Amino acid sequence: MQKLLYNSTRGQEVGLEASEAIVKGLAKDGGLFVPSFIPKVDLDFNKLKDMSYQEVACYVLGLFLTDFTEDEIKHCVYSAYDDKFDDASIAPIVKKDGHYYLELFHGSTIAFKDMALSILPYLLTTAAKKQGIENDIVILTATSGDTGKAALEGFSDIEGTQIIVFYPKSGVSMIQERQMVTSTGANTHVVGITGNFDDAQTGVKELFNNKEFNKELAERNFQLSSANSINIGRLLPQIVYYVYTYAYMVKHNEINIGDPLNVVVPTGNFGNILAAFYAKSLGTPLNKLICASNDNKVLYDFFDTGTYDKRRDFILTISPSMDILISSNLERLIYEIAGENPDMVNHFMDDLASEGMYTITADMKNELASFYPGFATEEETLKAIKIEFDATGYIIDPHTAVAKAAYDSYTKDTKDDTKSVIISTASPYKFTKSTLIALDDKYESIDDFTLLKELLSISGIDIPLAVKDIDKKEILHDTVCDKEEMQEIVMNFLNR
Ligand SMILES: *Cc1c(COP(=O)(O)O)cnc(C)c1O
């Protein structure tokens, strides 16, 4: 097999082994690591269709992690995708009324972040060992709500690691916050930021790029890495479920091998849908990648006009994990459509930093044909929950509902009847309040914890362990800080 190396989108770091790129997280030049080519394989769906999720994961990851041994990959995959997931198939696909949902919320924090963050700690510790690293690895993470808890779960008490999570103090759901601040594990730290997700993410990126700070850490035998989707080790495991979904659809005679399949992805930081793009580049016959945004529709406007413009108000919505104006992973797509030219990436990213916007070339825009942008307002999101429930009795969370609304507009506007899989990114139990309000206003005045029981009686689906009795768990983290204080806070944690 051909060795696959990784390059920074901004050109200054090239030719890294996968393990090196995973340990670093973010490149020194501020860029993101991308595979230097997409592996050339004939995906054999006749074989893939009979493989378990774990087997598909070993196969797909093997293509990208060429410096890992087969045993190392197996160790990572089977440690991650085990009975932490409450469904033996890991990523069940359900059929409703002509469309399908890929349920990515059966992991320990009931959002799709578990798909990558249950394996990242194993990839990272394996990679560090391969690189001969003896420092403790400090995972710095900014979260819009879901990554934080998934990372805390994944890294809790993993030897040789510290995990520090920053979340927007007023920008996450009550259950999301409670999940994070009750995290156990001697190496876990959680901090609320008085700002929004972009403030948290920008603050974390600045720490990564702060040479003084990194030097100081190194003197104390620490080094930074990232659990955000800027880490390629987060992105690669997400390719797996697109390949798996296609194979599943073949196996269950929903499609024939080679038939096109649309996917509809509720999008924020552009990690999930970028994984779909990589799966398609790998040869999975995906047709349209429908990119669904909420009211923070910076991506919709980008695909529509070719201009990425973050100069707008940040809107807090009922799909908070998608409340993002700077979608980090788009940089990887920009690199791709710019013909892998880091000079152009630097140019656009400089514009974004200084002007708050950039416009891609007409040639680049032509490369975006497989993406179809959609968005849903708050009202449309609530309506989508209600429509699905009334039609099928199936309850979707507000993030998934943004995708469902975008899918409905897509089919109406294009008349495309290609089979479509809507990516379901969170359990309704994680966003109980907004989910239930969509069904009936009367839930407005009831607290989230009582509503868990209400949702149980309506859905008949057991309350997941992740949120069961969460109101009774002890709050273990209560630090709040300004963006300017992040560096100091990190040092304080590590000095303990
Ligand atoms: C993170 C998240 C998203 C957005 O995914 P990206 O990879 O950031 O685009 C959507 N829905 C939920 C529930 C999430 O947690």
Side-chain angles (χ1 to χ4, degrees):
M1 192 163 49
Q2 215 180 342
K3 188 156 197 157
L4 181 51
L5 298 173
Y6 290 78
N7 299 333
S8 164
T9 50
R10 301 196 192 174
Q12 287 180 34
E13 280 195 83
V14 293
L16 280 76
E17 304 265 18
S19 56
E20 226 179 327
I22 289 171
V23 170
K24 286 195 170 173
L26 191 66
K28 274 207 243 25
D29 53 14
L32 309 186
F33 290 114
V34 283
S36 53
F37 58 87
I38 298 295
K40 290 209 175 16
V41 281
D42 279 322
L43 289 181
D44 184 351
F45 283 99
N46 257 324
K47 272 200 192 134
L48 286 160
K49 75 179 169 44
D50 294 319
M51 290 188 188
S52 67
Y53 189 88
Q54 292 85 344
E55 287 167 336
V56 175
C58 287
Y59 173 69
V60 172
L61 290 175
L63 299 172
F64 286 92
L65 304 174
T66 53
D67 63 328
F68 283 56
T69 65
E70 213 179 303
D71 280 347
E72 284 168 341
I73 290 176
K74 264 195 186 152
H75 160 71
C76 295
V77 165
Y78 285 90
S79 306
Y81 305 115
D82 60 9
D83 57 13
K84 285 190 285 300
F85 285 75
D86 68 11
D87 190 295
S89 67
I90 307 297
I93 292 151
V94 299
K95 183 177 184 178
K96 300 285 167 197
D97 227 10
H99 50 275
Y100 304 79
Y101 288 98
L102 169 64
E103 294 187 348
L104 297 179
F105 54 75
H106 289 276
S108 46
T109 75
I110 61 174
F112 100 97
K113 303 295 193 290
D114 290 325
M115 301 306 295
L117 282 165
S118 52
I119 191 168
L120 183 66
Y122 298 101
L123 293 175
L124 192 71
T125 46
T126 305
K129 210 178 288 165
K130 298 177 79 65
Q131 292 290 319
I133 287 167
E134 287 172 3
N135 287 342
D136 271 12
I137 295 180
V138 180
I139 310 293
L140 282 193
T141 294
T143 183
S144 55
D146 289 335
T147 293
K149 182 58 182 180
L152 289 159
E153 276 294 306
F155 282 96
S156 174
D157 288 329
I158 295 262
E159 206 176 318
T161 71
Q162 295 284 325
I163 162 95
I164 305 177
V165 168
F166 294 95
Y167 72 96
K169 178 71 187 149
S170 314
V172 300
S173 86
M174 191 164 162
I175 295 201
Q176 284 179 314
E177 179 171 41
R178 192 61 76 97
Q179 278 188 306
M180 287 189 277
V181 297
T182 56
S183 294
T184 55
N187 62 340
T188 64
H189 313 277
V190 182
V191 186
I193 292 269
T194 48
N196 61 35
F197 171 71
D198 287 329
D199 293 324
Q201 176 159 267
T202 308
V204 164
K205 275 196 181 173
E206 280 168 11
L207 291 181
F208 269 96
N209 294 327
N210 182 331
K211 290 203 176 69
E212 266 308 300
F213 177 63
N214 281 278
K215 213 177 112 207
E216 228 179 294
L217 287 178
E219 284 162 7
R220 294 166 206 215
N221 300 321
F222 288 116
Q223 71 187 69
L224 297 180
S225 188
S226 169
N228 279 102
S229 50
I230 52 178
N231 193 324
I232 191 74
R234 260 246 348 237
L235 209 53
L236 302 176
Q238 296 180 357
I239 300 172
V240 173
Y241 48 76
Y242 289 104
V243 177
Y244 174 78
T245 296
Y246 194 88
Y248 175 96
M249 296 288 281
V250 169
K251 181 179 173 93
H252 293 268
N253 300 315
E254 301 292 346
I255 52 175
N256 294 314
I257 292 177
D259 285 352
L261 182 69
N262 295 334
V263 293
V264 193
V265 188
T267 298
N269 222 2
F270 209 72
N272 200 351
I273 197 164
L274 186 71
F277 178 76
Y278 284 151
K280 181 174 163 117
S281 309
L282 198 62
T284 312
L286 299 180
N287 181 43
K288 287 291 178 195
L289 314 178
I290 299 166
C291 177
S293 299
N294 65 20
D295 273 328
N296 295 292
K297 60 183 186 56
V298 63
L299 286 167
Y300 174 87
D301 294 339
F302 168 72
F303 283 112
D304 193 32
T305 64
T307 295
Y308 192 93
D309 189 348
K310 75 170 172 92
R311 299 169 307 170
R312 61 183 79 200
D313 288 337
F314 187 100
I315 302 169
L316 293 177
T317 72
I318 54 170
S319 46
S321 303
M322 296 158 65
D323 290 346
I324 290 172
L325 292 180
I326 308 171
S327 295
S328 296
N329 274 295
L330 189 65
E331 178 167 341
R332 289 187 163 112
L333 182 67
I334 297 290
Y335 176 82
E336 233 14 82
I337 61 174
E340 307 187 351
N341 179 342
D343 293 339
M344 287 178 80
V345 175
N346 276 304
H347 168 74
F348 293 128
M349 294 305 135
D350 286 348
D351 279 358
L352 183 63
S354 60
E355 315 289 331
M357 61 165 290
Y358 60 86
T359 302
I360 58 171
T361 65
D363 283 348
M364 286 170 73
K365 191 155 186 293
N366 288 337
E367 298 288 315
L368 296 176
S370 47
F371 290 90
Y372 186 94
F375 78 97
T377 62
E378 294 287 89
E379 202 184 304
E380 287 164 340
T381 305
L382 290 167
K383 215 168 109 192
I385 296 175
K386 177 95 168 96
I387 289 173
E388 184 64 77
F389 179 70
D390 288 348
T392 66
Y394 184 67
I395 302 185
I396 54 179
D397 98 291
H399 301 79
T400 310
V402 168
K404 173 61 164 50
Y407 166 72
D408 287 342
S409 316
Y410 171 78
T411 48
K412 194 160 149 253
D413 292 348
T414 63
K415 310 278 181 282
D416 179 14
D417 61 0
T418 303
K419 294 249 165 92
S420 298
V421 178
I422 296 164
I423 310 303
S424 183
T425 49
S427 159
Y429 275 110
K430 196 155 192 177
F431 300 94
T432 321
K433 184 141 215 169
S434 19
T435 302
L436 283 173
I437 287 173
L439 304 184
D440 195 326
D441 297 340
K442 75 178 182 195
Y443 297 113
E444 187 95 49
S445 58
I446 306 177
D447 76 272
D448 280 65
F449 304 120
T450 311
L451 288 178
L452 292 174
K453 294 187 192 87
E454 201 66 32
L455 185 53
L456 169 66
S457 76
I458 299 175
S459 69
I461 292 172
D462 286 343
I463 301 179
L465 265 182
V467 291
K468 206 170 183 174
D469 297 328
I470 193 169
D471 50 329
K472 298 187 187 80
K473 287 192 182 146
E474 191 187 351
I475 292 177
L476 300 168
H477 309 269
D478 58 2
T479 310
V480 178
C481 81
D482 286 334
K483 191 183 146 208
E484 290 69 31
E485 296 170 305
M486 288 169 66
Q487 180 173 341
E488 197 187 322
I489 293 265
V490 171
M491 273 305 178
N492 287 346
F493 285 144
L494 298 180
N495 281 338
R496 273 186 199 162

